[in-house]
Amino acid sequence: MNKSTEELLKILKNSSLDAYLAENDDEMAENPICDYLTAVLNEKGLKKSEVIKNLMFRQTMRIRFFQA
């Protein structure tokens, strides 16, 4: 992953989604978001329950963030 988020956004704005995904496949994260969030929580020493409690989403959306 060499391109910044800003670079990827600029490319996305100037192409179709299909073309963007095909051309930038190697720039995409390989892990599901739930794995990424779990890793960040572990790194920061936070508990899922604490973070979920403080999220400003509906309860069902809170839980889905951490499900595979």
Side-chain angles (χ1 to χ4, degrees), residues 32-46 48 65-68:
I33 186 111
C34 60
D35 292 346
Y36 172 75
L37 291 174
T38 299
V40 170
L41 292 178
N42 290 336
E43 180 183 310
K44 302 290 183 183
L46 299 171
K48 287 182 189 178
F65 273 112
F66 295 100
Q67 293 178 337

Side-chain angles (χ1 to χ4, degrees), residues 5-61:
T5 303
E6 291 79 21
E7 289 174 293
L8 291 170
L9 181 58
K10 185 176 179 180
I11 295 167
L12 179 58
K13 287 181 177 182
N14 294 313
S15 66
S16 70
L17 180 58
D18 290 334
Y20 171 82
L21 292 174
E23 293 171 14
N24 296 287
D25 185 56
D26 60 330
E27 298 290 334
M28 302 300 151
E30 295 181 19
N31 298 331
I33 186 111
C34 60
D35 292 346
Y36 172 75
L37 291 174
T38 299
V40 170
L41 292 178
N42 290 336
E43 180 183 310
K44 302 290 183 183
L46 299 171
K47 294 181 181 177
K48 287 182 189 178
S49 60
E50 294 170 351
V51 173
I52 290 171
K53 181 180 170 185
N54 291 314
L55 286 173
M56 297 175 63
F57 297 112
R58 293 188 327 220
Q59 180 65 24
T60 54
M61 290 304 294

